[in-house]
Amino acid sequence: MLVLGIESSCDETGVALYDTRHGLLAHALHSQIDMHAAYGGVVPELASRDHISRALPLTQQVLAQADKTLQDIQGIAYTQGPGLAGALLVGTSIAQSLAFALNVPSVGVHHLEGHLLAPLLEENPPAFPFVALLVSGGHSQLMRVDGIGQYELLGDTLDDAAGEAFDKTAKLMKLGYPGGPALSRLAELGKPRFQLPRPMLTSPDLNFSFSGLKTAVLTLVNNQPQLDAETVQDIAWEFQESVTEILTLKCMKALKQTKLKRLVVSGGVGANKRLRERLNEAALKRGASVSYPRLEFCTDNGAMIAFAGAMRLHAMQQNTPDYSFSVRPRWDLAELKAPA
């Protein structure tokens, strides 16, 4: 089955073609970072309008790259949620319109399921079951994954997500938008000098909390007589050490509690070099393995939606295609069911 995937949940338009026999054939992505940078964050109306102008040209681009035509498509997957309602509506309406015109089945994909399954696109995909760390700007969750649609929530953030804490901390230090990647680059130049807390590091559960860490950074910044380049680098180093230590310890605790030996890391923060170093080292000591998507698939992309959709479409038996649609800006991953 050749499946077209469309991702439009926030500020990136992603389109991809996935073949259940030959794998990923082509993918393309347009980021709106430059457009939103002037506002210091995503402007939903601008995001929606940009998706409208990008989705079809990107679709034509991936078809040309794969040497395919619209008539070759056998199924369409789209991000149904969670995300910005207007942005989701753009991708959903385009996907369902194409599916109706081509008379092919379609399926709405949970954005986080796409992230969670992204490492399965690699040459040596992890086998089920495994523990998954979903760590991004909007989510910090630990899940037990037993198969497609078989997800058990082990731990969640009680306030800010890890990526959100990175971005807010970067904003405190005037690093621009998006600040998370800039903060990580500065952290590589920093050294041990300050001490920040490790919220919930020793709590008996697998939950996270990062809002207090962000507040501690604000206090630290305000107490500096001069916020020079060296000081910013050292604060960034300590902040990154705090976040990666918390994430690593909780992941190892999740492996211990579930008695599993495989960890999968997905989401934008999963691209962080220091986090990967710590997880690899800790997993090696436990005799466990860690799998990541390639760096370009850590952030939002169409490939993960095409793949997740292909897995569901391949397993589903739809006698009567339904081209009506709705979006789900809020959608709990644990609500998903395995495909019938």
Side-chain angles (χ1 to χ4, degrees):
M1 175 177 279
L2 179 63
V3 177
L4 174 72
I6 299 176
E7 153 63 19
S8 67
S9 63
C10 190
D11 59 345
E12 287 167 316
T13 313
V15 179
L17 281 172
Y18 182 84
D19 189 291
T20 53
R21 178 175 296 176
H22 302 292
L24 183 65
L25 301 185
H27 66 96
L29 182 74
H30 173 77
S31 174
Q32 302 175 1
I33 285 178
D34 292 341
M35 181 176 68
H36 297 295
Y39 304 94
V42 177
V43 181
E45 178 65 20
L46 294 180
S48 301
R49 290 176 179 272
D50 197 67
H51 286 308
I52 293 172
S53 65
R54 305 290 179 178
L56 291 180
L58 288 177
T59 300
Q60 294 170 339
Q61 180 179 331
V62 297
L63 286 169
Q65 289 175 358
D67 194 23
K68 301 291 183 180
T69 67
L70 282 173
Q71 286 66 38
D72 294 318
I73 295 173
Q74 296 168 293
I76 297 180
Y78 58 92
T79 304
Q80 189 176 12
L84 300 175
L88 291 169
L89 281 168
V90 173
T92 300
S93 59
I94 290 174
Q96 290 291 60
S97 299
L98 281 174
F100 175 77
L102 298 173
N103 193 29
V104 297
S106 61
V107 63
V109 173
H110 193 295
H111 181 76
L112 294 185
E113 181 174 58
H115 275 301
L116 189 150
L117 300 178
L120 275 65
L121 283 163
E122 302 308 313
E123 289 186 5
N124 298 305
F128 300 114
F130 53 77
V131 170
L133 172 67
L134 292 170
V135 58
S136 65
H139 304 275
S140 292
Q141 296 179 329
L142 279 165
M143 309 285 298
R144 179 190 171 109
V145 181
D146 290 298
I148 304 294
Q150 298 175 273
Y151 312 127
E152 177 190 353
L153 181 64
L154 303 175
D156 202 350
T157 181
L158 303 181
D159 39 60
D160 290 351
E164 184 180 5
F166 263 94
D167 288 337
K168 288 182 177 179
T169 297
K171 191 172 183 178
L172 291 175
M173 296 190 287
K174 299 178 172 55
L175 298 182
Y177 170 84
L183 189 149
S184 296
R185 289 191 293 270
L186 286 177
E188 296 179 12
L189 305 174
K191 61 182 183 299
R193 176 179 167 191
F194 302 107
Q195 183 65 47
L196 290 171
R198 270 66 169 162
M200 300 187 70
L201 183 68
T202 58
S203 65
D205 54 43
L206 296 174
N207 293 326
F208 306 97
S209 173
F210 295 107
S211 65
L213 176 60
K214 174 197 63 184
T215 303
V217 173
L218 175 61
T219 302
L220 180 59
V221 168
N222 290 337
N223 288 338
Q224 299 308 305
Q226 183 179 2
L227 201 63
D228 54 27
E230 184 178 355
T231 300
V232 169
Q233 292 167 6
D234 293 345
I235 293 175
W237 186 92
E238 175 62 17
F239 173 82
Q240 181 171 262
E241 287 298 297
S242 176
V243 173
T244 56
E245 182 178 351
I246 294 167
L247 293 173
T248 300
L249 187 141
K250 295 284 185 174
C251 285
M252 296 305 108
K253 187 180 292 187
L255 289 174
K256 181 179 180 180
Q257 288 186 11
T258 58
K259 298 181 181 179
L260 296 177
K261 292 292 186 179
R262 286 183 289 272
L263 174 68
V264 163
V265 182
S266 298
V269 183
N272 183 277
K273 292 181 182 178
R274 181 57 176 151
L275 177 61
R276 292 193 175 203
E277 289 174 359
R278 299 188 83 145
L279 287 174
N280 291 339
E281 181 180 347
L284 183 62
K285 291 179 180 179
R286 287 195 59 85
S289 63
V290 190
S291 298
Y292 311 90
R294 69 196 76 169
L295 292 179
E296 62 185 321
F297 292 160
C298 286
T299 53
D300 295 350
N301 62 87
M304 67 182 190
I305 302 303
F307 175 75
M311 295 301 98
R312 287 189 169 273
L313 286 171
H314 188 67
M316 293 165 59
Q317 297 295 327
Q318 289 186 339
N319 296 323
T320 306
D322 182 6
Y323 300 119
S324 62
F325 63 86
S326 63
V327 296
R328 303 186 64 174
R330 295 181 181 273
W331 192 1
D332 189 345
L333 183 60
E335 296 177 11
L336 285 184
K337 305 296 183 184

